[in-house]
Structures are given as structure tokens and as C-alpha cells.
Amino acid sequence: MADAPITQDLVTLPRTLPQEGRANLVGLTRPQLHAALIAAGTPEKQAKMRTGQVWQWLYHWGLRDFAAMTNLSKAYRALLAEHFTIEVPEVVSRSVSADGTRKYLLRIAGGHEVEAVYIPEDGRGTLCISSQVGCTLTCSFCHTGTQRLVRNLTPGEIVGQVMVARDDLGEWPERGAPRVETRLVSNIVLMGMGEPLYNFENVRDAMQVVMDSEGLSLSRRRITLSTSGIVPEIARTAEEIGCLLAVSFHATTDDVRDTLVPINRKWNIAALLEALRAYPRLSNSERITFEYVMLKGVNDSDADARRLVQLIAGIPAKINLIPFNEWPGAPYERSDPERIEAFADIVHKAGYASPIRTPRGEDIMAACGQLKSASERARKGRRAAAE
Ligand code: SAH
Ligand code: SF4
């Protein structure tokens, strides 16, 4: 196979997008919010207290209107409104699957679209969020990887996905009610569109906001970042975010992984495993998740399963087997259920948890690897129709 391009036309945008000269507060870290309030005229002596107050309105109460921030003076509320906005991505559409999975199509600055998916489970749920519009990588089995246009999401657009889901689920606490932690969005996975480690700073800052205990307050153990294997950023993930890690492994030889996950040509299996072995805090309670998509006749043999457990020997790990989710024109097929079971059995007997991921939201194209913005799908469809 010819070398696939691994970088495309990536657009870098300012970290907060000023609208009518006003800066969006959503997605600023605490120190950034502090600095922004001072720059807008907050006396330095008050800045720490004001930062705490505004923070709670934004991330604990989910407020979008400065006028309703009742513990601030009217004059100060006016000052805030003059300098800042509180903006989250616009919900273009919401699809609800027969199994309760909700997919949000969101519009962000520049008219771009990204998707976020909420997967409910026993009164709690996991929100799968995107880190980029599209992806610069071109994994051959992934629909997102076929999208041409790519740009990094800002921290505000990443945090905004969590806020939009909480809006939709009605999860902000009632004002004045006792502080009961409803937790419909109990976990976050960075497994939507994009490669999070190619947008490291913005993802890190967004997760700092999400983890802050006076706001959205999700602990680092409830956040899982999935990477295709951007080796130099793996150690930084541990140091600067501290969340759990999932790795899109998908193959047990460099030949096969080069085709499935082309970034393997830059950082091969040996290099990736070395970085994973060094990932701190590894213990049986904080294992690395190895994601392994089951592709018929490509990576699903007994020999693959045996090689897999040999390769990861010594790494506290669980292996998440993902039946391939098909998309129109995909060059692969899903492995048969018996094959997946046999593979899981070998992995399980070697001492690893090997859950087979039940595809969720397939009827609304919300499953892993199916995300691709609707406008991009439509554009492709039109092009295909014209040919
Ligand atoms: N870019 C990151 C995170 C987004 S992809 C990464 O690659 O890890 C989230 C997961 O879905 C990855 O494990 C990815 O390999 C997997 N995936 C992609 N396309 C898929 C498909 N069509 N069927 C099943 N899983 C897929
Ligand atoms: Fe990008 Fe992940 Fe899809 Fe690969 S699997 S193209 S890294 S989103």
C-alpha cells in the first residue's frame, strides 16, 4: 500500500474565539479565567473570589446568562456581559437510538460540525466526545479518517460538548436545592472524532476544567483518552492530565498495523509498547485498555490472539474487543461472532479481561468509528451521485 498522507490541511484557530470582540469564558482554565477577569477590570484583590463565583455559575449551575449571577453586583454583571460571552456548541440535531443512545450533531465556529454520543447504562452513562473536526490520520477501517477537512477543537468546544449533554439530559442541579450529585454523565471517553493527542494542549485544558471539583467535577479516573499511538505524547498524558488511557492497538504485527493504523509507520508496535510500559500509576485498578477492532480475516486469528497476549505481557491491561462497525463503502467486514468468542477466550485464558463491546446506537450511526459530520457525508454523497 502506498504511504497514506498523515497530515492534511490542519487549520489552527485562536484558543478562544472572540465574538463581537467578546471572549468566550467556556473552556478557560482557572488561571486563564482569573487573568481574563483582571484584564476586563476586576480589581486584583477581588479576582480570586470572582473567579470562584463565576466558575461555579458556569460549571456547577450551568448558567448561560450573566444577569442571573445573583451573588455579583449589577455593575459587575454588566462588566462581564460587556467583555465576555458564555457559548457552547449549537445543537443542529439530536438522534435517539432504540437503545437510548443519543447522538448530537453540533455546529461550531466556522460552520464546522462535530458529533458527541451519550450512551446510558443503568442510570449512569458515558459521553463520547470529539477532539477534532475529522482526523488527520487515515486508519483504513475508520469513517472519521476519510473526512478531508480537519481542525482542532478549542478547549471551549470540548468542554461545551459536556455542557450540551448536561443541558439535554436536564442534569444541572436545581438552584437552591440540596447538593445532590446527579450523575447521568458519569464518565467521559475521548473516543469521538479526532486524535486527542494531536490536540494535546486544548484537550488537557478542557479536561482540567471538567475535572475541577467545584464544577463538572468528573474525577480523572472517569475520563478515558483513546489514542492511535502518538508515542511522544503518552508520558505527557499521564503527567499533565492523569486520566486513564486506551490505545487503538488493532493488530499484532507491524505489517498489519501499518495498514490499519498508518501512524504505526512512525511509531511501531515496539515503540508504542515501551511508552505504555512506562505509563505511571499502572496497577490492576488503573489498567490500560487495548482496543482491538475485529476485522474478518485480517486480524482475528487464534495466532493473533496468542501474539497479542505475548506482546502485552506484564502490562496491567484489559482488552476491549470491538466488533467492526460497518459504514458505507468500508473495505472490511465484521468478524463472525464465533471467531470473536474464540479470540476472546484465548485472551481471557491468558488472564486478561476481554469484554466484547456491544455496539450501541448502530441504527443512528453513532457507534465507534462511524462518526463523520453529516455535511461531509452529504457532500460525498452528492459527489458520488454526480460521478
Ligand atoms: N483517534 C482516537 C480516538 C477516536 S477512535 C483513536 O484512534 O484511538 C475511537 C475508537 O474507535 C478507536 O479504538 C478506533 O480505532 C475505533 N474505531 C474506529 N473505526 C471503527 C469502526 N468502524 N468500527 C469499530 N471501531 C472503530
Ligand atoms: Fe483518527 Fe482514531 Fe479514526 Fe484513526 S481511528 S482515523 S486516529 S479517529
Side-chain angles (χ1 to χ4, degrees):
M1 186 176 140
D3 268 15
I6 50 177
T7 46
Q8 293 168 324
D9 36 347
L10 185 70
V11 188
T12 319
L13 282 191
R15 297 170 60 101
T16 46
L17 297 161
Q19 202 201 34
E20 301 153 21
R22 293 181 295 160
N24 186 10
L25 290 186
V26 175
L28 297 186
T29 59
R30 242 174 217 276
Q32 287 167 346
L33 177 60
H34 187 264
L37 295 183
I38 290 176
T42 308
E44 287 209 23
K45 271 205 258 160
Q46 294 177 11
K48 189 161 181 234
M49 183 176 72
R50 298 284 174 248
T51 302
Q53 289 169 318
V54 172
W55 189 275
Q56 283 210 357
W57 286 123
L58 293 178
Y59 300 119
H60 179 72
W61 301 107
L63 229 65
R64 302 292 149 77
D65 181 5
F66 293 111
M69 299 185 174
T70 47
N71 59 352
L72 304 174
S73 73
K74 281 217 167 113
Y76 193 66
R77 287 183 243 166
L79 176 103
L80 291 176
E82 191 188 318
H83 288 89
F84 303 114
T85 59
I86 306 171
E87 278 174 84
V88 297
E90 178 197 345
V91 181
V92 180
S93 65
R94 191 192 74 163
S95 331
V96 182
S97 158
D99 68 15
T101 300
R102 297 175 183 214
K103 181 170 82 171
Y104 307 101
L105 176 65
L106 305 171
R107 187 171 298 135
I108 55 172
H112 299 295
E113 287 169 350
V114 288
E115 290 176 333
V117 177
Y118 176 70
I119 307 149
E121 206 156 15
D122 304 331
R124 309 174 349 145
T126 299
L127 184 69
C128 174
I129 60 177
S130 295
S131 55
Q132 299 183 306
V133 175
C135 186
T136 54
L137 302 180
T138 50
C139 302
S140 50
F141 54 92
C142 172
H143 206 198
T144 309
T146 65
Q147 181 163 333
R148 277 178 45 249
L149 184 73
V150 181
R151 90 151 160 83
N152 281 335
L153 298 192
T154 63
E157 290 161 349
I158 300 170
V159 175
Q161 295 172 60
V162 182
M163 297 171 78
V164 161
R166 290 195 107 191
D167 289 348
D168 183 48
L169 297 163
E171 207 191 2
W172 299 107
E174 289 271 330
R175 306 255 299 269
R179 193 171 169 154
V180 188
E181 290 296 330
T182 50
R183 271 289 179 239
L184 292 172
V185 178
S186 60
N187 294 68
I188 290 182
V189 292
L190 281 146
M191 292 187 187
M193 298 165 71
E195 168 50 57
L197 295 189
Y198 271 162
N199 186 16
F200 186 87
E201 280 82 9
N202 290 357
V203 166
R204 175 198 60 204
D205 289 357
M207 293 306 107
Q208 298 296 351
V209 173
V210 165
M211 292 188 286
D212 189 288
S213 62
E214 283 179 27
L216 296 163
S217 192
L218 275 140
S219 94
R220 60 170 192 83
R221 280 195 212 86
R222 297 194 169 274
I223 300 173
T224 303
L225 182 152
S226 173
T227 180
S228 57
I230 312 302
V231 164
E233 307 292 343
I234 288 179
R236 271 182 94 193
T237 305
E239 283 156 26
E240 298 179 36
I241 309 177
C243 60
L244 303 187
L245 195 67
V247 176
S248 295
F249 208 65
H250 304 323
T252 61
T253 63
D254 280 324
D255 267 358
V256 176
R257 197 162 191 273
D258 281 352
T259 318
L260 298 180
V261 187
I263 199 68
N264 193 68
R265 295 182 208 146
K266 194 156 182 184
W267 295 290
N268 66 11
I269 292 179
L272 177 57
L273 288 171
E274 197 183 313
L276 297 179
R277 279 182 209 285
Y279 201 77
R281 291 217 196 84
L282 279 188
S283 66
N284 264 330
S285 65
E286 292 191 22
R287 293 169 292 180
I288 287 182
T289 302
F290 284 78
E291 296 162 283
Y292 199 98
V293 62
M294 298 299 292
L295 304 169
K296 191 179 212 162
V298 175
N299 64 355
D300 61 353
S301 68
D302 285 355
D304 277 307
R306 283 193 289 268
R307 259 194 308 269
L308 178 60
V309 294
Q310 275 164 13
L311 282 170
I312 67 169
I315 302 179
K318 90 171 169 207
I319 294 157
N320 206 331
L321 300 176
I322 317 173
F324 174 59
N325 294 309
E326 296 186 1
W327 38 273
Y332 301 104
E333 282 175 69
R334 180 181 289 186
S335 308
D336 296 330
E338 306 77 51
R339 184 87 297 273
I340 302 181
E341 288 290 344
F343 193 105
D345 204 44
I346 293 173
V347 174
H348 186 73
K349 288 211 171 95
Y352 294 96
S354 52
I356 300 168
R357 192 184 288 175
T358 320
R360 299 285 303 263
E362 278 188 301
D363 51 341
I364 54 168
M365 287 279 285
C368 256
Q370 293 184 328
L371 303 187
K372 178 162 174 171
S373 74
S375 56
E376 179 87 12
R377 274 195 292 267
R379 207 173 301 136
K380 261 205 121 169
R382 278 197 299 277
R383 210 181 302 139
E387 277 163 11

